[in-house]
């Protein structure tokens, strides 16, 4: 089913479900991500609003929002860039050798901060899941997506605010991955 | 002064602990509310707890309620440090007994300002 941007979708037994373009725009998502980057990654760490081609080997981190709008806030970038982000976030406390858990933890926390602030810009009340890291959840409805493409240190990164159909379970259990094609770590 | 940093993210625990230690705090860390309660029951009593909201096992709001239910821990200052930034969530946390609310992302300066408001900035950080 394809709906016009900004439209709503009606399901049996439910009220109209708002689609994300009617609730938040790309500039707001970009501003939220940019603020998170400056505070978490570093004062000089800017996200440049230029699209780039993601490498074949990507890693995603996301949180789910369950409320009047239900979906996921997903960060996707190359695995090496996710590791670089982890080093930048940890700064002087970064271990010499990063393990997978370090990257999942730090990258997931960045998704948590971006997702929490996106949630606050959406109609509430909503619940936020714990972050998950792995293969990005599938886009269920192309009209229910707000996608922002940026470069960080010249490397491409995508922030996607994307609806979930059918609605995600409520409430979410900790670290549970509700996406059939996603993988929690 | 002593602070207990409660967050399920190891990276965020390091960031918050680093900022507090920079202000002169001695810190310990817990990955969820129950682990923090266990530390308090064991007798390690800080002046300040920084508390994430969304955590496995026991979330931040449950931890605040548990601390406030124990009169022996009345002197503990509870500061939420979380990405939950809906107004209704802030009201819930303050109503449950949190003293302050810091929204992630935050800067060390913002944390310092909140501690100063609470009268919990160690003397060395004022110099």
């Amino acid at each position: 089913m394809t709906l016009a941007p900004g439209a709503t979708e009606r399901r049996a037994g439910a009220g109209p479900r708002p689609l994300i373009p009617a609730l938040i725009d790309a500039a707001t998502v970009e501003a939220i991500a940019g603020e998170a980057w400056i505070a978490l990654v570093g004062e000089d760490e800017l996200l440049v609003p230029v699209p780039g081609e993601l490498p074949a080997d990507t890693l995603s981190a996301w949180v789910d929002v369950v409320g009047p709008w239900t979906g996921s806030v997903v960060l996707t970038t190359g695995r090496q860039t996710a590791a670089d982000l982890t080093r930048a976030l940890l700064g002087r406390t970064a271990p010499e050798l990063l393990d997978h858990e370090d990257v999942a933890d730090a990258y997931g926390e960045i998704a948590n901060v971006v997702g929490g602030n996106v949630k606050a810009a959406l109609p509430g009340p909503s619940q936020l899941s714990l972050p998950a890291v792995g293969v990005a959840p599938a886009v269920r409805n192309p009209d229910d997506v707000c996608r922002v493409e940026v470069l960080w240190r010249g490397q491409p990164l995508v922030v996607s605010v994307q609806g979930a159909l059918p609605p995600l379970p409520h409430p979410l259990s900790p670290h549970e991955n509700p996406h059939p094609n996603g993988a929690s770590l | 002064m002593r602070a207990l940093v409660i967050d399920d993210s190891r990276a965020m625990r390091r960031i918050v602990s680093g900022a507090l230690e920079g202000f002169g705090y001695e810190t310990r860390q817990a990955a969820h509310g129950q682990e923090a309660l266990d530390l308090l029951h064991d007798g390690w009593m800080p002046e300040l707890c920084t508390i994430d909201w969304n955590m496995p096992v026991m979330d931040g709001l449950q931890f605040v309620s548990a601390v406030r239910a124990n009169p022996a821990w009345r002197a503990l200052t509870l500061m939420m440090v979380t990405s939950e930034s809906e107004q209704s969530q802030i009201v819930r946390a303050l109503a449950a007994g949190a003293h302050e609310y810091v929204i992630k992302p935050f800067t060390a300066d913002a944390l310092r300002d909140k501690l100063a408001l609470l009268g919990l900035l160690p003397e060395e950080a004022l110099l």
Side-chain angles (χ1 to χ4, degrees), chain A residues 39 102 105 109 117 119-120 126, chain B residues 9-11 84-86 104-105:
Chain A
D102 291 321
D105 177 77
E109 183 60 18
N117 285 275
K119 177 176 90 86
S126 301
Chain B
S9 165
R10 194 170 43 177
E84 287 282 3
S85 49
E86 282 182 29
K104 298 176 186 173

Side-chain angles (χ1 to χ4, degrees), chain A residues 107-181:
Chain A
Y107 192 30
E109 183 60 18
I110 295 172
N112 178 48
V113 172
V114 173
N117 285 275
V118 167
K119 177 176 90 86
L122 300 176
S126 301
Q127 296 217 351
L128 194 67
S129 75
L130 294 170
V133 177
V135 178
V139 170
R140 308 295 293 268
N141 176 357
D143 291 326
D144 198 11
V145 176
C146 178
R147 181 181 165 95
V148 171
E149 297 185 23
V150 295
L151 298 177
W152 175 65
R153 294 184 180 177
Q155 297 302 311
L157 184 138
V158 174
V159 184
S160 175
V161 184
Q162 57 192 60
L165 289 175
L168 296 168
H170 179 77
L172 294 168
S173 58
H175 293 302
E176 183 180 341
N177 178 358
H179 304 285
N181 67 335

Side-chain angles (χ1 to χ4, degrees), chain A residues 46-122:
Chain A
L46 299 178
L47 295 178
V48 182
V50 173
E53 191 174 341
L54 287 169
D57 191 17
T58 61
L59 188 65
S60 294
W62 67 92
V63 289
D64 297 321
V65 176
V66 179
W69 178 84
T70 292
S72 306
V73 181
V74 186
L75 307 185
T76 301
T77 192
R79 279 186 186 271
Q80 183 55 53
T81 307
D84 293 343
L85 264 174
T86 300
R87 286 206 175 280
L89 183 74
L90 296 177
R92 285 172 299 172
T93 66
E96 198 167 318
L97 285 176
L98 288 178
D99 61 26
H100 194 57
E101 199 179 326
D102 291 321
V103 177
D105 177 77
Y107 192 30
E109 183 60 18
I110 295 172
N112 178 48
V113 172
V114 173
N117 285 275
V118 167
K119 177 176 90 86
L122 300 176

